[in-house]
Amino acid sequence: MVAALEFSRQLHTGIVLTATGISRCVEIEAYTVLTPLPMVSQVGVGIAFDVPVVAEACGLGGPGLDEEIEIRVYGRGLAFSTPHLPHLLEDAVTRAYADNGELSFTMLIDSSSLITGIETIIASLEGSTIVIDGIPIPLHEVADLWGIIVRLDEPLNKEKIIEAILTNIGTYEDIVLSNINNALEALYIVTNKLYENTDMTPVRQIIRKADRLGALSVFVDVSGQYVAFLFDNYDDAANASTVLSRQGAVLEAPITVLGM
């Protein structure tokens, strides 16, 4: 996958009948996504789970009139996605509607910001991704694994997480780049480094719980609201789910990667 990639495979266009007449709609089928590392400078990571989130833009005006557009983002995965995802998908589907159903990499870059990074929207559209110097690369080694997303009853301190990432971004990027062929190890080390940088007891407890449950890796979403534990198969994930449900609502889902 290269920077010139067009994301048309997720877009659906159609004509619907409304109270005002014929209307045009554009729909994007996306994935649930968590962001363990936003692309503050050169490296970003988004992990996608095969649970649907849909963004839809429909024109409400008739021909020749000033058109109003209704934007909807919905789906089971929305409650387990990084809080930045709805805004990114709203922006993406609005841009696609304005451009007759086309959505380019450049458009996605334009919709990103410091913490709501390009890696989040790319992963939601295409699957688990690492973005290096603006180039998205699929994380094929995490394909076919199973994840448990926990929506924490007691979220982690978002401000501490963001501060730790912003002030140590080079360290986190070096971890990812040094483990470019082992995303599971990179995610685990990033989580440990987050604990070192924040000294938050809940993060240490999350790491210990992952070790006890035999998780392949664990990571925290940048929002602090979600934690994901990664397992080799559904049975391992299902067995761990009961234990993890004590921390909050849980969602079990396979991890998805472009073309997998």
Side-chain angles (χ1 to χ4, degrees):
M1 186 162 61
V2 295
L5 179 63
E6 297 290 328
F7 296 90
S8 58
R9 77 178 181 87
Q10 271 80 23
L11 305 186
H12 301 277
T13 61
I15 301 297
V16 297
L17 292 177
T18 69
T20 57
I22 296 176
S23 181
R24 181 169 62 96
C25 290
V26 172
E27 181 182 277
I28 297 176
E29 297 177 357
Y31 300 116
T32 296
V33 170
L34 297 184
T35 305
L37 184 64
M39 196 174 75
V40 175
S41 60
Q42 295 178 311
V43 179
V45 180
I47 304 298
F49 301 80
D50 196 4
V51 181
V53 178
V54 177
E56 181 185 72
C58 286
L60 302 179
L65 300 176
D66 291 335
E67 190 173 29
E68 295 182 7
I69 303 174
E70 180 181 53
I71 307 296
R72 297 176 61 219
V73 179
Y74 59 94
R76 176 170 171 248
L78 205 56
F80 289 88
S81 292
T82 185
H84 309 304
L85 185 61
H87 166 73
L88 291 172
L89 286 173
E90 285 178 6
D91 191 77
V93 77
T94 301
R95 291 171 183 269
Y97 185 92
D99 205 28
N100 297 314
E102 295 296 326
L103 186 59
S104 69
F105 186 84
T106 301
M107 290 181 188
L108 297 179
I109 290 177
D110 290 342
S111 68
S112 297
S113 63
L114 182 63
I115 298 301
T116 56
I118 186 67
E119 72 292 318
T120 302
I121 187 65
I122 295 290
S124 186
L125 294 175
E126 295 294 292
S128 300
T129 303
I130 177 173
V131 180
I132 302 176
D133 289 330
I135 299 177
I137 303 169
L139 290 173
H140 289 303
E141 65 265 35
V142 301
D144 300 324
L145 299 182
W146 275 78
I148 298 178
I149 302 175
V150 183
R151 190 173 70 232
L152 298 171
D153 287 337
E154 298 181 10
L156 302 173
N157 189 311
K158 175 183 176 180
E159 286 71 26
K160 279 191 174 182
I161 293 173
I162 293 174
E163 180 183 6
I165 291 174
L166 292 180
T167 56
N168 300 277
I169 188 60
T171 300
Y172 289 99
E173 291 180 341
D174 287 345
I175 291 171
V176 174
L177 293 174
S178 297
N179 295 275
I180 193 67
N181 294 317
N182 191 343
L184 294 173
E185 183 71 8
L187 292 170
Y188 186 83
I189 297 174
V190 163
T191 307
N192 274 273
K193 182 57 66 175
L194 182 65
Y195 167 62
E196 291 179 18
N197 292 149
T198 62
D199 197 32
M200 287 194 292
T201 300
V203 178
R204 180 182 61 186
Q205 293 172 339
I206 286 167
I207 295 169
R208 289 179 174 177
K209 185 157 291 185
D211 292 340
R212 288 198 301 270
L213 292 173
L216 299 177
S217 194
V218 61
F219 66 87
V220 175
D221 182 70
V222 68
S223 70
Q225 296 184 28
Y226 306 93
V227 175
F229 298 78
L230 308 186
F231 294 88
D232 187 53
N233 53 63
Y234 170 76
D235 289 338
D236 290 346
N239 290 335
S241 184
T242 301
V243 175
L244 294 173
S245 66
R246 299 168 190 164
Q247 294 179 270
V250 297
L251 175 68
E252 302 155 11
I255 296 177
T256 185
V257 180
L258 175 67
M260 303 302 288

